[in-house]
């Protein structure tokens, strides 16, 4: 029965090529039924890692497996999606994963979005990334492990999109990730703002979970930054540095007034770790251009603080920027 139903959906999808269904099938009321049905059948697969690339062959006995058939149908559907209807095809995936609590653990979620990123046309990759960022924003009050699961999915999507064109979402990705990094530190310290104080996460286990979120964000920032061309990476470095709170300097982009000294220190460490990841492997054409006053002044101001961890991070960032011939590796063994 399941196979017959999936074949029926597959027939409807294939009729969209040259039929009046082409316009109506992408409407939300239809996608909200088609996509969850396919995902439910895909969940029955026993080998998630084996089919993240091209679709399986349509012939052979594997075709009678509902999970394989549903996945092939899902790929066909996504391959026909255009920019205007991409959201209607992707949003039911978020609803299904949330309803069935599939963000933690998130193996199936990662599998789904690998299929999406490999199946859609390359020029629409940035649109899927925007949808993931929007969903992350909508889940900012969810448990840390759910947010970490979404961030890991974002990392996988960025890893695939980085091979092509990520589009105009570069600054949006970093802005959203840094915002959630600040929010995670806020949760970890148990100082949620405004009327949301009931959502404070103060238990040790919650604190550890927030560290998982923070590490996932930094890993994503580092991977994304390392795949950017140098001219964009320098812009991102300035963008991150502009968010690092420096005592005595009013930050226009990040409010740390309610975090206290401990919270401000945590934010500084997290942002500098993110900056360290972005500067890793950066090869500046001109030292003068990368060590400009707007970037260097707040960085060196941070190096004057008493905190040894902050000073070490600043020195490592400077090493990444100045050492263009990997001399640090040669000198590492010298005492």
């Amino acid at each position: 029965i399941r196979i017959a139903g999936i074949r029926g959906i597959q027939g409807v999808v294939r009729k969209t090529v040259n039929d009046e269904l082409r316009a109506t099938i992408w409407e939300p009321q239809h996608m909200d039924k088609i996509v969850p049905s396919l995902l439910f059948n895909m969940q029955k697969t026993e080998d998630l890692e084996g089919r993240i690339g091209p679709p399986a062959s349509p012939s052979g006995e594997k075709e009678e497996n509902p999970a394989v058939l549903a996945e092939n149908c899902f790929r066909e559907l996504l391959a026909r999606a255009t920019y205007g209807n991409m959201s209607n095809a992707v949003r039911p995936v978020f609803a299904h994963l949330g309803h069935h609590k599939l963000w933690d653990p998130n193996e199936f979620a990662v599998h789904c979005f690998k299929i999406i990123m490999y199946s859609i046309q390359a020029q629409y990759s940035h649109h899927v990334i925007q949808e993931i960022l929007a969903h992350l924003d909508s889940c900012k009050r969810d448990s840390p492990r759910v947010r970490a699961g979404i961030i890991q999915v974002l990392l996988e999507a960025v890893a695939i999109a980085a091979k092509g064109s990520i589009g105009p979402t570069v600054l949006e990705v970093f802005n959203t990730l840094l915002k959630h990094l600040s929010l995670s530190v806020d949760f970890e310290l148990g100082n949620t703002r405004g009327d949301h104080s009931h959502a404070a996460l103060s238990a040790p286990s919650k604190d550890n979970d927030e560290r998982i979120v923070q590490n996932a964000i930094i890993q994503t920032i580092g991977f994304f930054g390392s795949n950017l061309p140098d001219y964009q990476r320098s812009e991102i470095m300035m963008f991150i540095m502009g968010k690092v709170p420096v005592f005595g300097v009013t930050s226009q982009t990040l409010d740390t007034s309610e975090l206290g000294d401990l919270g401000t220190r945590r934010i500084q460490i997290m942002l500098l770790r993110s900056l360290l990841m972005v500067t890793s492997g950066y090869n500046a054409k001109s030292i003068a251009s990368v060590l400009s006053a707007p970037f260097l002044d707040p960085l060196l101001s941070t190096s004057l603080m008493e905190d040894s961890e902050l000073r070490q991070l600043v020195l490592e960032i400077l090493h990444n920027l100045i050492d263009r011939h990997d001399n640090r590796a040669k000198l590492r063994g010298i005492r």
Side-chain angles (χ1 to χ4, degrees), residues 102-250:
L102 295 172
W103 291 112
D104 177 32
N106 69 339
E107 286 83 1
F108 183 72
V110 170
H111 178 60
C112 286
F113 276 91
K114 282 184 176 181
I115 291 174
I116 292 172
M117 296 302 291
Y118 279 121
S119 300
I120 62 174
Q121 299 178 48
Q123 65 267 31
Y124 302 145
S125 296
H126 65 90
H127 191 72
V128 177
I129 293 175
Q130 285 178 318
E131 291 291 338
I132 299 174
L133 292 172
H135 187 68
L136 180 61
D137 281 338
S138 68
C139 296
K140 63 183 179 181
R141 297 288 170 181
D142 286 8
S143 71
R145 291 190 175 273
V146 168
R147 285 180 281 129
I150 298 172
I151 293 166
Q152 186 179 356
V153 166
L154 176 64
L155 173 60
E156 297 290 345
V158 166
I160 297 171
K163 300 172 185 176
S165 172
I166 299 178
T169 59
V170 173
L171 197 61
E172 183 183 355
V173 170
F174 282 96
N175 191 37
T176 301
L177 289 175
L178 292 176
K179 179 177 66 177
H180 283 275
L181 185 62
S182 174
L183 190 64
S184 178
V185 172
D186 193 2
F187 281 146
E188 183 185 359
L189 297 174
N191 292 322
T192 50
R193 300 183 181 90
D195 296 331
H196 299 285
S197 59
H198 64 279
L201 305 175
S202 56
S205 61
K206 296 290 186 181
D207 291 347
N208 293 335
D209 288 346
E210 289 297 341
R211 295 294 178 96
I212 294 174
V213 175
Q214 293 160 18
N215 289 332
I217 292 174
I218 292 173
Q219 183 183 6
T220 304
I221 288 174
F223 184 87
F224 198 2
S226 65
N227 282 280
L228 293 175
D230 286 344
Y231 75 92
Q232 276 188 319
R233 211 190 295 198
S234 62
E235 294 175 1
I236 295 303
M237 287 158 47
M238 285 293 300
F239 180 73
I240 296 176
M241 197 64 235
K243 289 184 175 291
V244 177
V246 178
F247 290 111
V249 178
T250 303

Side-chain angles (χ1 to χ4, degrees), residues 260-305:
D261 290 346
L262 179 59
T264 301
R265 176 185 177 275
R266 288 285 299 154
I267 288 290
Q268 288 171 325
I269 290 174
M270 292 295 107
L271 291 176
L272 288 177
R273 284 180 60 193
S274 302
L275 184 59
L276 180 64
M277 294 286 285
V278 174
T279 58
S280 179
Y282 178 68
N283 191 5
K285 297 293 186 293
S286 168
I287 293 294
S289 63
V290 69
L291 296 180
S292 59
F295 176 80
L296 197 57
D297 288 349
L299 184 64
L300 293 179
S301 297
T302 308
S303 70
L304 297 177
M305 296 180 181

Side-chain angles (χ1 to χ4, degrees), residues 39-54:
L39 295 178
F40 178 80
N41 283 281
M42 286 166 55
Q43 281 178 253
K44 303 301 180 182
T45 183
E46 296 179 356
D47 181 17
L48 294 181
E49 297 297 327
R51 294 192 309 280
I52 60 174

